[in-house]
């Protein structure tokens, strides 16, 4: 059935819930979980949940991106390790996480996406639609949405 499950994560509680479902399914099927994190590009303005909260030099901002990436992918890696499931992780920097998720599906050879419905999209998500909705619309593989 499914051999490589993509688990996009933004580090939110809901995306972690989706990761747990992905890992549980992967264990039952003998599949691998490929975690994916898309960070917004570094700018002088620091955002938290899509709201500007301060300013930083590019090096400082990159450090914050690296920390967020490590935290989000680390949760998936630990979940996979605890369950005895094969793990791979990848990430990208982009203002359009839905496009990067779809690229990851192709690049990593994933045959299922398991993701949460709402994460850290905040105001952006409310204005132009959620990442999950866009992935559902454009995906060429099945998508399992976790609420």
């Amino acid at each position: 059935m499914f051999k490589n499950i993509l688990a996009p994560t933004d580090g939110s509680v809901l995306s972690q819930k989706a990761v747990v479902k992905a890992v549980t399914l992967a264990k039952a099927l003998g599949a691998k979980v490929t975690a994916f994190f898309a960070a917004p590009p570094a700018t002088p303005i620091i955002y938290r949940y899509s709201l500007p909260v301060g300013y930083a030099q590019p090096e400082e901002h990159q450090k914050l991106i690296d920390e967020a990436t490590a935290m989000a992918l680390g949760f998936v890696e630990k979940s996979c390790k605890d369950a005895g499931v094969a793990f791979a992780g990848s990430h990208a920097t982009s203002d359009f996480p839905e496009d990067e998720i779809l690229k990851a599906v192709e690049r990593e050879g994933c045959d299922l996406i398991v993701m949460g419905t709402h994460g850290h999209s905040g105001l952006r998500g409310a204005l132009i639609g959620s990442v999950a909705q866009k992935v559902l619309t454009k995906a060429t593989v099945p998508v399992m949405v976790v609420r």
Side-chain angles (χ1 to χ4, degrees), residues 10-127:
D10 62 6
S12 67
V13 172
L14 186 56
S15 72
Q16 289 177 345
K17 183 178 174 183
V19 163
V20 171
K21 297 285 186 189
V23 171
T24 302
L25 181 60
K27 183 169 180 71
L29 298 173
K32 167 181 159 182
V33 170
T34 299
F36 181 76
F37 178 76
T43 65
I45 300 172
I46 298 174
Y47 290 87
R48 182 163 294 123
Y49 308 114
S50 299
L51 298 173
V53 295
Y55 296 93
Q57 294 297 318
E59 305 81 33
E60 293 173 76
H61 201 139
Q62 188 60 51
K63 183 180 175 190
L64 294 172
I65 290 170
D66 293 344
E67 289 170 358
T69 301
M71 188 274 306
L73 295 180
F75 178 83
V76 185
E77 184 174 20
K78 182 179 182 328
S79 298
C80 287
K81 183 178 179 183
D82 291 349
V85 169
F87 166 82
S90 68
H91 59 91
T93 302
S94 174
D95 280 323
F96 303 98
E98 57 278 358
D99 293 338
E100 296 303 324
I101 290 167
L102 297 171
K103 288 178 189 175
V105 166
E106 295 301 318
R107 183 178 60 249
E108 305 294 334
C110 298
D111 49 13
L112 174 67
I113 303 168
V114 177
M115 64 188 301
T117 55
H118 298 89
H120 291 311
S121 61
L123 185 60
R124 177 178 179 262
L127 292 175

